[in-house]
Amino acid sequence: MRLIKQNIERDGSGTITLFPEDPEDMWFTYNLIRPNDLLRASALRRITNESTTGSTTSTRIHTTLTIRVTKSDFDPQSSQLHVSGRIAEETRFTKVGQYHTLDLELQRNFTIEKDEGWDSVARQVVKDACDPSKSADVWAVVMQEGLANVAVLTGARTVLRQRVEMSIPRKRGGRASDHDKGLERFFQTTLDTLVRQIDMTESKPILLASPGFTAAAFQKYIIDTATKTGDKALLAQKANFIVVHSSSGHLHSLNEVLQSPEVLVRLKDTKYARETRLMDEFLTLLRKDDGRAWYGPREVERAAEKGAIGRGGGALLISDALFRAQNVGVRRRWVGLVDRIRDIEGGEVRVLSSEHESGKRLDGLGGIAAILTFPLEDLDEGEEDEHEADADDAAPEHVDNNDIQI
């Protein structure tokens, strides 16, 4: 993402113009745009003209429109972003209040004006998006015989680029050759798929993970094929291959792969690895049950009120999904918590992507968790007491219990 122009006042009002350069930028944009924001971008709109005789003709014209956002839809596989809303500025082709859906495109500027102003979280999204280090961190092939998932891990998400599925004959008696031929075809198809996805001019780690020895055999096949064909570009990637064990060839096994020591050593400087380590530390403390790990909205907010998420090891883990809430008050709630922990308490704040495995684990805990600088007990008891008090006064029609079970 390239920052074209920024005009933000001290009160947070103003506009930012961005230029998306690759599909990953669309994910950052999706996390940036909120309902009621003003979005200005190029558009293709159908115009109907009526002649004096009463006949009508329909044409499609290119124009620039400004809409008041009502909703946005993001396709993670194609990285396409569609933003719908009402037209906010009249043009020669449109009137204020008409509906239109803007299809944001690569290599085309768009301008955003935030309805509630540019808060700290929105500014951080722009900063992260324009950071050139947020490109692909690592490629991964999670496989087993007959199944391979080719994925890319970026600073923001995990994207399945392609799945390979083939039937491989089993080894039976003296017919092992059928199995070997089937496995070779599978390896060749997987290699062709991988080569189509990877930019061979870049040097990025490539994880090969599987149960048993499938990944090791695939690595040997790659090197043997590159040597036989004289493929120098593929041979240059030899040092980037990392063979690790996984429990299966399905994509969800990538989470355990990224926790292996050999992978963490190679990926220690990537954003994904830092977030994975922090999430692992939280879960370790949670298992110890020593009062230093809490999750859930009310529990984390109470820990923050007691000053327990600050300097000296305190960390707030929060899912980016919480900032996509439709309700403005809900978004302000989480932005305020982030600002308090980071700017006042001095604790570490990590906004985890809901498209990464670590973020998905956090979403399973309510989307928010904290590592405390000192242990606190019974942060959840107050909530039970409140419900009991409500029950004593009058039987409520509905009890909003936000407790989350592991």
Side-chain angles (χ1 to χ4, degrees):
M1 187 87 78
R2 193 189 312 165
L3 178 62
I4 302 299
K5 186 178 180 180
Q6 178 173 304
N7 183 22
I8 300 178
E9 305 296 334
R10 290 186 176 182
D11 62 359
S13 63
T15 63
I16 287 181
T17 301
L18 298 168
F19 182 79
E21 298 177 298
D22 60 59
E24 183 70 8
D25 293 337
M26 290 304 179
W27 170 253
F28 285 107
T29 305
Y30 173 60
N31 282 285
L32 189 62
I33 295 175
R34 299 285 179 266
N36 293 320
D37 288 351
L38 287 176
L39 175 64
R40 182 178 178 84
S42 60
L44 190 63
R45 188 167 177 86
R46 185 180 297 278
I47 302 297
T48 302
N49 298 311
E50 185 174 350
S51 67
T52 55
T53 61
S55 62
T56 59
T57 59
S58 180
T59 58
R60 297 174 70 89
I61 55 96
H62 285 276
T63 185
T64 299
L65 296 178
T66 301
I67 66 171
R68 179 75 66 179
V69 176
T70 55
K71 68 173 183 176
S72 56
D73 295 307
F74 179 74
D75 184 345
Q77 295 302 320
S78 62
S79 294
Q80 292 181 340
L81 178 59
H82 312 288
V83 186
S84 302
R86 288 180 177 268
I87 294 174
E89 295 180 4
E90 187 171 338
T91 70
R92 57 177 293 200
F93 304 110
T94 61
K95 295 180 180 180
V96 172
Q98 292 179 320
Y99 281 99
H100 188 85
T101 297
L102 291 173
D103 299 320
L104 297 188
E105 301 177 358
L106 298 179
Q107 313 299 320
R108 287 184 182 272
N109 290 357
F110 62 85
T111 300
I112 301 174
E113 181 177 348
K114 305 295 290 182
D115 177 57
E116 297 293 325
W118 290 88
D119 57 45
S120 62
V121 172
R123 295 189 193 195
Q124 186 64 45
V125 171
V126 173
K127 182 179 178 180
D128 289 344
C130 297
D131 185 347
S133 67
K134 303 300 179 184
S135 58
D137 284 331
V138 59
W139 285 89
V141 181
V142 187
M143 63 194 312
Q144 61 192 41
E145 288 193 3
L147 173 65
N149 291 284
V150 180
V152 59
L153 287 70
T154 71
R157 58 195 180 118
T158 302
V159 182
L160 175 64
R161 298 303 293 266
Q162 196 148 352
R163 183 192 304 273
V164 177
E165 290 185 87
M166 294 181 64
S167 177
I168 299 177
R170 295 183 179 182
K171 291 184 178 179
R172 293 182 178 179
R175 302 184 61 183
S177 61
D178 290 342
H179 171 271
D180 294 341
K181 290 178 181 178
L183 187 60
E184 184 175 347
R185 287 194 300 270
F186 169 65
F187 282 166
Q188 183 61 56
T189 302
T190 304
L191 176 57
D192 291 342
T193 302
L194 182 63
V195 169
R196 283 196 301 270
Q197 299 291 339
I198 292 180
D199 183 352
M200 289 296 176
T201 63
E202 295 183 346
S203 180
K204 299 283 185 179
I206 305 172
L207 305 181
L208 305 178
S210 76
F213 302 99
T214 304
F218 181 51
Q219 182 194 33
K220 182 178 184 302
Y221 178 83
I222 293 173
I223 303 305
D224 290 347
T225 301
T227 303
K228 187 185 302 182
T229 59
D231 191 333
K232 295 181 179 180
L234 187 56
L235 282 172
Q237 297 288 336
K238 181 178 179 179
N240 293 325
F241 290 112
I242 308 170
V243 177
V244 289
H245 178 269
S246 66
S247 59
S248 77
H250 296 282
L251 192 61
H252 63 76
S253 297
L254 193 56
N255 182 47
E256 66 184 73
V257 170
L258 293 166
Q259 297 178 47
S260 63
E262 60 266 42
V263 173
L264 289 175
V265 169
R266 292 287 295 273
L267 307 183
K268 63 181 180 181
D269 295 325
T270 66
K271 177 177 181 288
Y272 187 100
R274 291 193 296 272
E275 292 178 352
T276 298
R277 285 199 301 270
L278 205 55
M279 193 66 198
D280 289 343
E281 180 184 351
F282 167 78
L283 293 174
T284 298
L285 291 172
L286 188 64
R287 285 191 290 270
K288 289 182 179 180
D289 195 22
D290 63 356
R292 283 196 57 211
W294 286 91
Y295 64 89
R298 297 185 183 181
E299 289 82 354
V300 171
E301 285 179 316
R302 288 171 180 170
E305 290 170 2
K306 297 177 182 294
I309 317 174
R311 295 178 180 85
L316 173 68
L317 304 174
I318 186 166
S319 170
D320 60 9
L322 296 182
F323 299 106
R324 293 197 294 271
Q326 297 288 324
N327 187 291
V328 174
V330 172
R331 296 201 302 274
R332 284 179 175 174
R333 174 187 181 184
W334 303 126
V335 170
L337 181 62
V338 167
D339 289 345
R340 175 176 180 172
I341 299 301
R342 183 171 53 204
D343 301 332
I344 300 177
E345 303 294 340
E348 182 178 2
V349 175
R350 287 287 179 181
V351 180
L352 272 60
S353 171
S354 54
E355 289 292 305
H356 264 329
E357 295 304 316
S358 56
K360 291 176 182 177
R361 287 192 288 171
L362 182 62
D363 285 342
L365 299 173
I368 186 168
I371 297 174
L372 311 189
T373 53
F374 53 85
L376 290 175
E377 301 295 336
D378 305 327
L379 287 179
D380 53 351
E381 281 193 356
E383 183 178 347
E384 295 175 1
D385 293 341
E386 289 171 7
H387 290 315
E388 290 174 2
D390 291 339
D392 292 337
D393 295 336
E397 295 181 3
H398 172 69
V399 176
D400 182 14
N401 189 342
N402 287 332
D403 284 347
I404 302 165
Q405 302 297 324
I406 298 181

